[in-house]
Amino acid sequence: MTILVFGGNGQVGQELLRALAPLGTVVATTRSGQLPDGGCCEVADFDRPDSLPVLLDRLQPSIVVNAAAYTAVDRAEQDVAAAFRANAEAPGVIARWCAAHDVPLVHYSTDYVFDGQGNTPYREDEPTAPLGVYGSSKRGGEEAVRAAGGRHLIFRTAWVYAAHGTNFLRTMLRVGAARSELRVVADQVGTPTPAALIADVTAHALQHPGRLSGTWHLTANGQTSWHGFAEAIFAEALATGMMVEVPRVQAITSAEYPTPARRPAWSVLDNRRLQRDFSLQLPAWQDGLKRVMAEITGSSWST
C-alpha cells in the first residue's frame, strides 16, 4: 500500500513519515523535492494546483495525507492569492482526484477558522467565522474537500509545535537563552499540540475499523495562554537541565504586540468527538510538552 504525504518537510509532515511507515510504503513530497535530512522526494508545488493530478496519476496512492499548507499567517494578509491557491485550491484538486479514484484523504485544518470570541471549547459543528486571510483560506480547503464527495478525514488542530522546525517552543528556547526578560501575550488561549501527537492519531485513525468520513478536532487536552505555555517551557527547561537560568516572562495583551493578522483570542477546540469515535485518550498538553522537551534534550538540538 502506497501512502502519499504532501508536505513532508513540515512539522506534521516529518512526524507523519515516521508514524505512517508501519502501514505501508510512504512517499513524501515537498515543493523543492528535498527533505530536511537532505534526502530526495517527489516534487509537489501547491502554487500550481493544476500540476498535482499528474503526480497522483503516476503514483496511484492508496491513501493521501495532505500536510502541506501556506502557514505564514501575517504574510497571507498581503499574499491572498497564494494563500488560497495552497490552502483551498490545491486541496480541492487533490480531493477531487481522490474522490474519482475512491482513495481516502486526510486533510488538516486549523483553529483559525473560528473567530475566537467563544469561551467554551469549539465543537466541530459550530459556525466558522475566520478573522483573516489564513483562516479563510483554510476554511476554503475544508469546503473543497467536503464538496469533492470522497472519503475524507479533516482534522482541525491548533498551536502545533515540535522538536524540529519553526515554532513557539523553539523560539522561546532560542530567545530565552539570550535575554533576561521576555514579553509574551497572555490574552490568547488555546492548546499546545505536538506534531507527533497529530501524526500518531492520524495513523491510528487510518487503522480504525469502520473508518468514518467527517471533521474532528485533534488537539491535546487542556488549555493555557501563550504566556502560560512560555512559563511551562522554561520550567521544563530548568527541570531537565537544558537551561540553568531562565528569563522572567512578562504577561502582555495582544494590543501590546500588534500583528498584521488578527489572532483568535479563544482557540480551545472540543476534542471529545475524536476521542469517542476513534477510541482514544488524548494526553494533557503538559504531558506533550514533557515528551517534546525530552526529545530535544536527548538529541543534538541547536538554534
Side-chain angles (χ1 to χ4, degrees), residues 105-107 151-155 205-206 211-214 216 278:
L105 169 65
V106 178
H107 177 73
R151 292 182 287 160
H152 66 270
L153 296 90
I154 297 172
F155 292 129
L206 287 172
R211 190 190 306 149
L212 309 170
S213 279
W216 292 268
F278 295 102

Side-chain angles (χ1 to χ4, degrees), residues 156-158 191-193 197 217-222 267 269 271 274 282-283:
R156 290 183 184 138
T157 190
T191 306
T193 302
L197 175 64
H217 289 166
L218 199 177
T219 65
N221 279 324
S267 287
L269 303 179
N271 60 23
L274 176 78
L282 294 168

Side-chain angles (χ1 to χ4, degrees), residues 64-85:
V64 175
V65 182
N66 178 32
Y70 185 112
T71 58
V73 175
D74 289 324
R75 192 167 70 236
E77 293 299 305
Q78 303 298 323
D79 203 6
V80 179
F84 271 87
R85 277 195 300 273

Side-chain angles (χ1 to χ4, degrees), residues 32-261:
S32 67
Q34 296 287 321
L35 291 168
D37 64 2
C40 296
C41 64
E42 296 285 346
V43 173
D45 187 354
F46 272 45
D47 204 41
R48 298 175 53 241
D50 290 346
S51 69
L52 300 175
V54 175
L55 174 67
L56 290 159
D57 284 339
R58 176 166 59 81
L59 296 175
Q60 291 292 313
S62 305
I63 296 172
V64 175
V65 182
N66 178 32
Y70 185 112
T71 58
V73 175
D74 289 324
R75 192 167 70 236
E77 293 299 305
Q78 303 298 323
D79 203 6
V80 179
F84 271 87
R85 277 195 300 273
N87 292 343
E89 294 176 34
V93 169
I94 294 167
R96 288 189 289 276
W97 186 94
C98 288
H101 294 79
D102 195 28
V103 170
L105 169 65
V106 178
H107 177 73
Y108 300 100
S109 191
T110 173
D111 56 302
Y112 276 67
V113 300
F114 297 110
D115 63 11
Q117 300 304 303
N119 54 22
T120 58
Y122 284 110
R123 300 186 314 274
E124 289 85 351
D125 59 356
E126 292 193 58
T128 56
L131 297 175
V133 172
Y134 170 69
S136 295
S137 66
K138 291 297 289 182
R139 180 175 65 178
E142 289 187 10
E143 293 170 344
V145 169
R146 296 187 191 105
R151 292 182 287 160
H152 66 270
L153 296 90
I154 297 172
F155 292 129
R156 290 183 184 138
T157 190
W159 292 28
V160 180
Y161 69 101
H164 49 81
T166 302
N167 56 65
F168 183 81
L169 179 145
R170 285 174 56 91
T171 298
M172 287 297 100
L173 292 175
R174 184 185 70 249
V175 177
R179 301 183 190 175
S180 61
E181 182 174 300
L182 299 178
R183 291 157 48 87
V184 181
V185 170
D187 58 359
Q188 295 174 20
V189 177
T191 306
T193 302
L197 175 64
I198 297 169
D200 290 341
V201 169
T202 299
H204 173 83
L206 287 172
Q207 299 174 82
H208 196 271
R211 190 190 306 149
L212 309 170
S213 279
T215 302
W216 292 268
H217 289 166
L218 199 177
T219 65
N221 279 324
Q223 64 192 61
T224 189
S225 66
W226 289 115
H227 176 266
F229 189 24
E231 289 198 314
I233 290 167
F234 291 125
E236 192 64 23
L238 275 177
T240 59
M242 181 187 299
M243 300 175 73
V244 295
E245 186 176 352
V246 297
R248 174 175 175 266
V249 185
Q250 179 183 351
I252 64 171
T253 65
S254 298
E256 295 175 87
Y257 189 75
T259 55

